[in-house]
Amino acid sequence: MKIPIINSKRQYETIAQKAEAAVLDVMRSGSYILGANNKEFEKEICDYLDVKHAVTLNSGTDALHLALRALDIGEGDEVISTAFTFVATSESIGIVGAKPVFVDIDPDTFNIDAAKIEAAITPKTKAIIPVHLYGQPCDMDVIIDIAKRHNLFVIEDACQAIGAEYKGKKVGTIGDIGCFSFYPTKNLGTMGDGGLLTTNSQYIKDRVVALRNHGGAIRYHHDEIGVNSRLDEIQAAILRVKLPYVDSWNKARREHAAYYNELFSKCDLIETPKELDNTYCVYHQYTVKIPNRDKVHQMLADKGIGAMIYYPIPLHLQKVHAKYNFKEGMLPITEKNTKLVLSLPMFAEITKEEQQEVAKTLIECVEKANSAVAV
Ligand SMILES: *Cc1c(COP(=O)(O)O)cnc(C)c1O
């Protein structure tokens, strides 16, 4: 049985009629960019997240980069974040000319270790970007407290965590700014690129509305260098069809995670994900830790199980940041976990039989790979 890490087609089939009708409506309307669907979606997602303002954008990367622009963070500034994430997080810091300062992770949650943030703060620090990786909320109380005491902004990278909650609040609405991605494989994915920035600040909202459309709030009046980061009406229409399903999809992911945990409980070599107290994790990825990961990954691939490594190289060791001379060994927990993690097939529509097959195959491969080493 071949089991992919995600099956977007299966989800499409559940909403096909509504999505096709919505797209056809857009095509017939003659309004293709930043029209009624964008406006309505911005309102609907504000209600869903319980936040004052939402600005649709072209991508999650743009949300991160325009968040920094809106806060006037750039050359000479430092931004604290994690190296255990997708490159877009630190890339956005680089786009505005600021320096990423990486703090090590908590090995249980894979998120930035809030207890280590304070030691990384310098007079140049302007913001913290916590990433709710794999759909698991960061320890926001601690992060917000540090930010308040040191007068720093908090930009939440919630690209993998729409619908996740920390103490009853949706992530992406707790800091000054929340950034979301609607890349097709995200928990709320469209059928192209898309992103969103959320904030409770009218000032930040107005800045981002201008920045996304060539730096001017009034047409043909340009106050600053902006970008073209407008969302297509077709994408907004698809997102409006899908938004009402996000909670049920996230709930299904949580049930699948619990089932995997149960299936793996008989194998001591597989470390299953942990959740922080008082959080609602939405399992964008279901990620286990295993010894001999690379060998097991290859064995799974040979058997048609689509597991993935998120992410194989931590950001401080990526060539893109070579000019900062970050050294191997600088973030020991990040580096160690990079070698252990493996994300397994996870999507709302996965069946129990498929999960059983994944679990059976993984247990076999892990046991085989590790007994070979022992000899
Ligand atoms: C996907 C993702 C992004 C970037 O989103 P795009 O829409 O692909 O630009 C940023 N950060 C994280 C953690 C992501 O997973």
Side-chain angles (χ1 to χ4, degrees):
M1 192 181 345
K2 260 191 158 26
I3 304 168
I5 187 150
I6 181 168
N7 187 336
S8 303
K9 232 179 125 184
R10 209 180 279 174
Q11 181 176 89
Y12 177 66
E13 281 154 12
T14 69
I15 51 141
Q17 268 186 328
K18 286 182 185 165
E20 286 169 18
V23 169
L24 199 59
D25 274 351
V26 172
M27 289 197 286
R28 288 172 173 166
S29 75
S31 168
Y32 303 129
I33 299 265
L34 290 185
N37 281 292
N38 268 270
K39 280 206 186 70
E40 289 305 312
F41 178 65
E42 285 174 344
K43 277 189 215 151
E44 288 158 7
I45 200 151
C46 280
D47 280 349
Y48 173 73
L49 294 170
D50 194 17
V51 69
K52 282 197 187 130
H53 308 289
V55 185
T56 54
L57 300 165
N58 231 321
S59 67
T61 308
D62 278 354
L64 288 160
H65 139 230
L66 295 181
L68 293 162
R69 283 288 313 275
L71 300 172
D72 292 312
I73 294 170
E75 211 70 50
D77 297 332
E78 292 179 358
V79 177
I80 291 175
S81 193
T82 163
F84 199 89
T85 174
F86 181 54
V87 68
T89 314
S90 64
E91 186 184 35
S92 63
I93 300 169
I95 289 173
V96 301
K99 180 187 175 186
V101 173
F102 296 117
V103 168
D104 217 345
I105 57 164
D106 171 341
D108 285 341
T109 63
F110 306 109
N111 284 332
I112 192 166
D113 186 343
K116 291 184 179 151
I117 291 176
E118 224 156 353
I121 295 173
T122 76
K124 293 177 176 173
T125 309
K126 290 283 161 20
I128 307 168
I129 306 185
V131 181
H132 307 292
L133 198 76
Y134 305 149
Q136 158 103 277
C138 294
D139 200 351
M140 291 307 292
D141 276 356
V142 181
I143 294 171
I144 296 287
D145 174 62
I146 294 168
K148 282 212 174 108
R149 282 189 286 109
H150 294 270
N151 210 6
L152 306 175
F153 294 110
V154 174
I155 300 168
E156 294 177 72
D157 183 339
C159 287
Q160 300 190 358
I162 192 157
E165 291 176 15
Y166 178 83
K167 297 193 176 167
K169 272 179 85 87
K170 293 257 184 351
V171 303
T173 69
I174 301 165
D176 298 282
I177 295 179
C179 299
F180 295 88
S181 166
F182 304 124
Y183 185 78
T185 59
K186 305 285 159 124
N187 288 31
L188 174 60
T190 187
M191 295 176 200
D193 274 307
L196 186 85
L197 182 146
T198 51
T199 181
N200 286 312
S201 151
Q202 181 74 44
Y203 167 79
I204 292 170
K205 182 231 172 174
D206 291 343
R207 277 290 298 279
V208 177
V209 164
L211 285 166
R212 79 170 161 186
N213 202 4
H214 303 294
I218 303 165
R219 188 178 283 186
Y220 306 128
H221 291 68
H222 306 285
D223 305 323
E224 59 180 325
I225 299 292
V227 294
N228 169 0
S229 187
R230 301 174 300 233
L231 185 68
D232 297 354
E233 279 289 283
I234 287 182
Q235 303 308 337
I238 293 165
L239 287 166
R240 291 185 67 202
V241 168
K242 286 182 143 195
L243 181 60
Y245 296 94
V246 168
D247 281 344
S248 65
W249 289 335
N250 281 340
K251 186 165 165 276
R253 286 173 180 268
R254 289 176 56 81
E255 286 162 10
H256 303 328
Y259 190 45
Y260 270 142
N261 290 345
E262 186 189 319
L263 292 169
F264 293 132
S265 63
K266 57 174 177 273
C267 181
D268 290 342
L269 290 168
I270 300 171
E271 190 179 330
T272 54
K274 296 182 185 64
E275 291 182 17
L276 277 187
D277 287 345
N278 299 312
T279 61
Y280 188 83
C281 173
V282 295
Y283 291 95
H284 174 61
Q285 301 297 339
Y286 179 89
T287 304
V288 296
K289 295 197 223 186
I290 46 173
N292 271 301
R293 191 268 322 271
D294 288 339
K295 192 165 176 197
V296 172
H297 186 209
Q298 186 56 52
M299 290 163 81
L300 284 176
D302 293 344
K303 291 175 188 293
I305 307 286
M308 292 281 274
I309 298 162
Y310 300 115
Y311 296 87
I313 305 170
L315 298 185
H316 65 299
L317 302 178
Q318 293 279 358
K319 209 165 152 189
V320 63
H321 296 313
K323 68 172 171 186
Y324 298 119
N325 244 328
F326 296 131
K327 293 278 186 284
E328 194 160 353
M330 191 182 100
L331 301 172
I333 301 171
T334 295
E335 291 165 27
K336 182 178 168 204
N337 280 275
T338 298
K339 297 185 175 75
L340 296 174
V341 289
L342 192 66
S343 298
L344 303 179
M346 170 56 84
F347 44 96
E349 303 77 15
I350 195 169
T351 64
K352 275 210 148 62
E353 292 68 37
E354 287 170 324
Q355 286 195 271
Q356 286 158 10
E357 178 72 17
V358 172
K360 184 174 111 296
T361 314
L362 180 64
I363 291 170
E364 271 168 27
C365 293
V366 170
E367 281 173 353
K368 198 163 163 207
N370 288 285
S371 67
V373 165
V375 188

